[in-house]
Amino acid sequence: MNQFQQARNQVLNQIKNACDCARRDPATVRLLAVSKTHPSQSLREMYQLGQQCFGENYLQEALDKIEELKDLDIEWHFIGHVQRNKTKQLAEKFDWVHGVDRLIIAERLSSQRLDTQPPLNLCIQVNIDAQDSKDGCQPDEVSELVAQISQLPHIRLRGIMVIPAPDHSQAFIDAKELFEQVKPQHAQPQDWDTLSMGMSGDLDAAIAAGATIVRIGTALFGARDYSK
Ligand SMILES: *Cc1c(COP(=O)(O)O)cnc(C)c1O
């Protein structure tokens, strides 16, 4: 077994165990492989092991990989901060965007999504534990954003994304509560099915609280090298 296969099996096992503890069906938790800084060849190898969805943070790096890997049926997720002047490429090249925290961004994504494409899947990023340096809207803004964004024609509004401080598992519980609370505001409540939370260091707590997408980088690909 190669290194990636071992790492991926270990993560899948950890997800399964966390689901067992939480009495959840492992099929309700998707593994998103976070591949920022890693070369296309690593994604290709991970794909060949059965990994279909990949998350990227930096637009230009992601666009290069999307081009290099266009022969594969990858589901591309953008999990970085969304800048207003970058929405067109996000709308056209990605299947999911997790980091939307303002209406204007969602409106631009909706109007720039092509008619020939299925609706763009979107999560609202929430600053759930009031960190100074983090992106995301405030929890009390989510209800109105859900009402507005869920009516955009080329958007499928799926849920909430959070990045709490390390070792702050209460934040996952708060995110789940907020997720349930705002659901009635959604114009198509059956689409509201996603809690994007949990990374390599805290996926157990996230799954216990109800995560449906865990975003895992280091545990799959190893440590990142930002020097290149
Ligand atoms: C980098 C990143 C991850 C992955 O973090 P790891 O600790 O390497 O698993 C998950 N989510 C977001 C938003 C990230 O930027």
Side-chain angles (χ1 to χ4, degrees), residues 164-182:
D167 301 315
H168 191 189
S169 44
Q170 179 63 38
F172 295 133
I173 297 166
D174 295 344
K176 168 70 170 175
E177 194 179 298
L178 181 63
F179 173 82
E180 298 295 345
Q181 207 174 29
V182 299

Side-chain angles (χ1 to χ4, degrees), residues 34 36 57 79 161 163 199-200 215-218 224:
V34 175
K36 59 177 177 247
N57 290 61
I79 61 172
M161 187 272 235
I163 315 173
M199 318 203 306
S200 294
R215 308 178 310 262
I216 308 297
T218 310
R224 285 181 288 275

Side-chain angles (χ1 to χ4, degrees), residues 34-55:
V34 175
S35 44
K36 59 177 177 247
T37 76
H38 297 289
S40 294
Q41 182 55 29
S42 297
L43 282 73
R44 187 176 289 279
E45 286 170 31
M46 209 50 100
Y47 179 89
Q48 279 153 1
L49 299 171
Q51 182 63 39
Q52 209 207 347
C53 32
F54 290 85

Side-chain angles (χ1 to χ4, degrees), residues 129-157:
D129 53 354
Q131 296 177 70
D132 296 338
S133 59
K134 279 280 157 59
D135 306 313
C137 69
Q138 298 307 308
D140 65 4
E141 296 173 316
V142 175
S143 168
E144 197 178 344
L145 282 174
V146 169
Q148 294 166 324
I149 296 174
S150 66
Q151 296 189 42
L152 296 172
H154 298 283
I155 297 294
R156 191 168 164 210
L157 181 61

Side-chain angles (χ1 to χ4, degrees), residues 15-29 207-210:
I15 292 171
K16 189 186 171 300
N17 289 335
C19 284
D20 286 347
C21 287
R23 294 166 195 264
R24 296 185 54 195
D25 176 358
T28 62
V29 180
I207 288 172

